[in-house]
Amino acid sequence: GFLEKIAFGWSKIAITLSRQNKLKAGELSTLDETQTTEYHYQRLLKQWNKYKTKKMKYPLIASLLICNTFPLLCSIFIEITQIINQYLSMYFKNKIIHQFSIFDAEKDNKNAFFMTSIKFVIGFWLTRIYRTLEHNHGNFLNNIISERITNQASAIIYVKILRSNTNANVNRKEEGEKINLVEEDCEKVGFIFGNGKKLFMAPLHV
């Protein structure tokens, strides 16, 4: 849409410029430690070991929740503010329609009508712009949560499977099938963590 072009039109320019020069390995910056899979894997492993000693039924799911509490709360907060913005946008839209429907050019003060209408129009467009930006930011955060949880769960399960199956007599084909199945399940878990809240929030959207 028009608002997305204003907010993210620069990305197309950046992509076009980036194609003109090949990126070299030496130009890549190193990730911050907190952004690496190893960092999040170690956090999850530490939390998982705590829950295993307590003999919880689903220690991995509980550990994923604890390790990703802050981004999950941020994602829920963004979803709630999106819903509030939708209702505010509808409020201003209805006010604009009401203003023009009751306006009488002969009896009403035109200056007062104009100023009131401008306020509602500005309020409407501010909520629409903020809603668009927030929507894109929310999707970006959901993708980060999904990928992070998928990588965390995959890493910890891969390590556990590979370490527990060092016997040369183990059927590698069966183990490979197990790992592939586990990886798919991890992706599903990551998707649910990143987007599951939308199932509960959907009835509130307008």
Side-chain angles (χ1 to χ4, degrees), residues 47-163:
Q47 194 66 42
W48 188 34
N49 289 330
K50 288 182 181 179
Y51 282 124
K52 280 204 307 180
T53 58
K54 298 178 181 180
K55 296 182 179 181
M56 291 186 65
K57 192 172 183 180
Y58 301 106
L60 182 57
I61 299 297
S63 301
L64 288 169
L65 276 171
I66 295 298
C67 291
N68 297 279
T69 300
F70 181 71
L72 285 170
L73 289 176
C74 289
S75 180
I76 293 172
F77 174 77
I78 289 174
E79 194 73 23
I80 292 172
T81 53
Q82 283 181 6
I83 294 171
I84 294 173
N85 265 304
Q86 286 181 350
Y87 284 100
L88 285 174
S89 180
M90 291 296 296
Y91 168 79
F92 286 119
K93 183 178 180 180
N94 291 333
K95 281 292 185 180
I96 293 169
I97 295 171
H98 179 70
Q99 277 290 110
F100 281 94
S101 63
I102 64 171
F103 177 66
D104 189 337
E106 296 181 357
K107 297 180 181 179
D108 294 338
N109 188 325
K110 293 182 180 180
N111 290 333
F113 166 78
F114 177 77
M115 293 302 298
T116 305
S117 300
I118 287 295
K119 290 178 183 178
F120 289 139
V121 169
I122 291 173
F124 172 76
W125 279 107
L126 285 176
T127 54
R128 287 295 299 272
I129 292 171
Y130 182 73
R131 178 181 165 187
T132 301
L133 295 174
E134 199 173 35
H135 173 74
N136 286 281
H137 179 65
N139 288 339
F140 179 71
L141 182 58
N142 290 338
N143 290 334
I144 289 178
I145 293 170
S146 297
E147 291 300 321
R148 180 179 294 175
I149 289 176
T150 300
N151 291 337
Q152 282 179 314
S154 297
I156 198 169
I157 292 173
Y158 269 129
V159 170
K160 291 296 180 182
I161 290 176
L162 293 175
R163 285 181 179 175

